[in-house]
Amino acid sequence: MERGGAGAAGVAVGIDLGTVSATVAVFREGRCETLPNAEGSPTTPCVVSFAEDGRILVGEAARRRALSHPQRTVVSAKRHLGSGRTVTVDGEVYTAEEICGHILAKIKRDAEARLGAPVTAAVLTVPAHFSELGRRATRQAARRAGLEVLRIVNEPTAAAFAYDHSRLWDREWDDTTLLVVHFGGGTFDVSLIAVGDGVVDVLATCGDNALGGDDWDAALAAHLAAGRGNSPAALTRLTDAAERAKTDLSSRSETEIDLPYLYPATATEGPLHLRETLTRATFQAVTADLLARCEGPLRKVFADAGLPTEVTRVVLVGGSARMPAVRDLVTRVVGPRARLHHLPGELVAHGAALQAAVLRGLYRTTLLSDVTPLSLGIGTKGGTVRRLIERNTDIPTRRTERFETVDPDTESLRIPVCQGESDLLADNVLLGHVTITDLGRAAFGKPIDVTFDLDASAELVIRVRHPVTGREHRFSF
Ligand SMILES: Nc1ncnc2c1ncn2[C@@H]1O[C@H](COP(=O)(O)OP(=O)(O)OP(=O)(O)O)[C@@H](O)[C@H]1O
Ligand SMILES: [Mg+2]
């Protein structure tokens, strides 16, 4: 057997690029294996720090500098993939794609050292609810790191895929519908997935890309700061302490916060030390609004799949799903009969590695069938949306519609393409515009065929064709 599918083409790995940390795995000799990084850890912190001497530190070395050099250190870059937001360090402007590119480059390097072979390609996972822009940005980040992206797979789907693969040894297992709750540092996803009969089939998916453990930390940090103005250093220390307290409160009912010299002395007051005992009840009260935001997607995914809110198996993945309040909420929604299993976080990377092996033709296993998380459409006159692909449609998929130009004087067309569920264009994510300039004079009433092609990574290619002339234009964002 080839080493992890190595050969002339190099090894293909699976990478779970998280908000807080990343994991890389390879499928070899019939099983998935997490590859420890150069520091010997199974996960790499997704932190990049720019040193004064020009060095770029990534991973644990960068994470250690987050407290001492908060303004030179970038955390949680994944949350901004595809948003166009940038971060400035030392006058240099960086996109989230660039930051994630540095993280992926380290992951690639460390995996190569571990495998003793070049790693050239990868399957990457993204939150199921990631838009087209987030998916493209993830792909770009991987390209920057010199990786060919074989496919983008949704995180809950990857987890279910690896779980299904490992169930070969689970005698109690019956074919069933799983609720996968994936809840990490930056994103919340829920998917209903039918497994069995050789298929892992996603029935529906729902989520919130702007909801994760980071938000719990920020809410608790704000509570602890009690309205005091914070320097970047104080805020970093508070957030760090909040994160530790939060994690502690998953297994204990109270914890101590101890931050000596958090606020330096002023002309009138001495230095302030923050010392307090925090109970789980207070923590849950402070973060109740955030928890409430989890309930909508949990209920909606059942409604979208047309199923009653009842399952017997719930699979929880990600650090934030360890919060007792989250588990309680899930039980409240799906009923007390459900069995909750918390899976190891590395399962997401394992699912990606398995898919990489399948795509490289090295392994034949269960079929994976996923859906698109968000509807896709075009903006029409008057600011409304004509949807071409509805959310939760099986992918890959293709849909063509014929339109007629309505403006008598236009020789060109600029059609907005959007993703989301609102009938109003302004309330959707604008992916970009399709611009056609060769309609010819007096374009009024001319037909054009617009085709939306959504591939297995839920990435969109649009083709616009003039049926009369046969001319065709191709667009992607
Ligand atoms: N025992 C725990 N209780 C509560 N929260 C926890 C616990 N352990 C970890 N976390 C939180 O889980 C989050 C990290 O989870 P995880 O490693 O699954 O995220 P990620 O994969 O980096 O992010 P994402 O998948 O959202 O992009 C952090 O917010 C961390 O504070
Ligand atoms: Mg994750």
Side-chain angles (χ1 to χ4, degrees):
M1 171 139 193
E2 290 173 296
R3 184 196 279 140
V11 185
V13 295
I15 302 175
D16 170 14
L17 175 66
T19 306
V20 178
S21 61
T23 310
V24 53
V26 69
F27 181 82
R28 53 181 176 180
E29 276 137 43
R31 49 186 287 275
C32 298
E33 210 180 303
T34 302
L35 298 173
N37 62 15
E39 294 75 43
S41 168
T43 59
T44 299
C46 292
V47 186
V48 175
S49 191
F50 297 89
E52 288 80 349
D53 62 7
R55 276 178 314 139
I56 299 173
L57 305 171
V58 183
E60 189 51 38
R63 200 187 66 83
R64 278 200 300 268
R65 278 171 51 96
L67 280 177
S68 56
H69 299 80
Q71 278 158 317
R72 309 189 69 94
T73 307
V74 187
V75 299
S76 302
K78 174 180 170 180
R79 295 195 90 164
H80 307 299
L81 279 172
S83 71
R85 274 182 58 181
T86 55
V87 56
T88 307
V89 179
D90 247 358
E92 287 281 332
V93 179
Y94 300 95
T95 61
E97 289 85 318
E98 284 174 89
I99 300 292
C100 291
H102 287 304
I103 297 165
L104 290 169
K106 170 176 168 57
I107 286 171
K108 172 175 163 17
R109 239 179 5 251
D110 288 1
E112 286 174 337
R114 198 53 72 170
L115 291 165
V119 170
T120 49
V123 168
L124 269 93
T125 59
V126 295
H129 218 60
F130 242 24
S131 77
E132 176 75 15
L133 300 176
R135 286 166 202 268
R136 294 267 170 203
T138 304
R139 192 178 276 277
Q140 266 178 31
R143 282 216 194 99
R144 282 179 172 276
L147 286 166
E148 178 201 349
V149 179
L150 298 177
R151 184 162 299 175
I152 303 271
V153 178
N154 294 323
E155 284 158 4
T157 311
F161 195 34
Y163 185 47
D164 179 68
H165 188 249
S166 65
R167 92 192 156 95
L168 297 172
W169 293 277
D170 178 355
R171 289 178 193 284
E172 279 179 46
W173 182 276
D174 290 322
D175 293 351
T176 188
T177 301
L178 287 178
L179 174 70
V180 182
V181 177
H182 180 272
F183 200 7
T187 52
F188 176 66
D189 277 326
V190 284
S191 295
L192 270 174
I193 305 183
V195 287
D197 282 339
V199 191
V200 168
D201 183 12
V202 182
L203 306 174
T205 189
C206 202
D208 188 336
N209 288 335
L211 187 64
D214 277 4
D215 301 300
W216 266 254
D217 303 345
L220 183 54
H223 167 78
L224 294 172
R228 295 181 196 97
N230 283 314
S231 63
L235 186 63
T236 309
R237 282 182 71 197
L238 272 167
T239 309
D240 186 57
E243 203 248 344
R244 269 183 287 123
K246 170 190 77 173
T247 308
D248 239 12
L249 291 173
S250 289
S251 54
R252 299 170 49 194
S253 57
E254 59 177 53
T255 186
E256 302 300 320
I257 310 274
D258 186 6
L259 293 169
Y261 299 97
L262 181 64
Y263 300 106
T266 63
T268 51
E269 280 178 45
L272 185 80
H273 314 296
L274 186 78
R275 288 210 171 97
E276 67 175 80
T277 302
L278 184 75
T279 64
R280 187 188 284 173
T282 305
F283 169 64
Q284 291 185 343
V286 167
T287 53
D289 292 0
L290 294 170
L291 183 73
R293 284 170 56 193
C294 297
E295 187 164 348
L298 270 168
R299 295 201 181 275
K300 192 152 163 260
V301 76
F302 285 95
D304 278 359
L307 291 174
T309 49
E310 246 175 77
V311 284
T312 51
R313 236 176 235 254
V314 180
V315 164
L316 303 164
V317 206
S320 298
R322 294 203 180 271
M323 288 191 283
V326 171
R327 299 177 68 103
D328 292 347
L329 172 68
V330 171
T331 304
R332 214 162 57 238
V333 171
V334 300
R337 277 196 331 119
R339 284 165 44 196
L340 273 55
H341 305 259
H342 202 119
L343 302 186
E346 63 185 0
L347 232 69
V348 175
H350 286 191
L354 205 53
Q355 184 66 15
V358 171
L359 292 172
R360 276 281 175 94
L362 300 170
Y363 188 59
R364 226 191 269 237
T365 179
T366 312
L367 209 72
L368 197 58
S369 159
D370 215 331
V371 298
T372 176
L374 295 157
S375 302
L376 286 157
I378 64 173
T380 57
K381 265 191 147 349
T384 58
V385 175
R386 172 107 159 250
R387 253 177 235 133
L388 270 82
I389 296 175
E390 296 285 340
R391 73 170 185 273
N392 289 320
T393 301
D394 284 345
I395 49 173
T397 188
R398 171 179 298 177
R399 177 82 190 277
T400 302
E401 279 211 27
R402 177 160 292 185
F403 294 88
E404 277 187 5
T405 51
V406 287
D407 264 341
D409 299 325
T410 35
E411 288 182 27
S412 66
L413 268 181
R414 192 162 181 267
I415 310 169
V417 178
C418 64
Q419 194 165 32
E421 309 313 320
S422 172
D423 290 332
L424 290 178
L425 180 62
D427 294 340
N428 286 272
V429 173
L430 182 67
L431 299 178
H433 288 87
V434 162
T435 308
I436 310 150
T437 49
D438 59 351
L439 281 173
R441 292 185 72 87
F444 177 66
K446 276 192 181 161
I448 50 167
D449 290 336
V450 177
T451 300
F452 275 27
D453 236 317
L454 202 58
D455 69 10
S457 299
E459 287 178 271
L460 180 68
V461 171
I462 299 173
R463 282 180 291 120
V464 179
R465 196 172 160 272
H466 306 251
V468 181
T469 60
R471 272 201 300 268
E472 189 171 284
H473 304 265
R474 206 172 165 278
F475 303 87
S476 60
F477 301 107

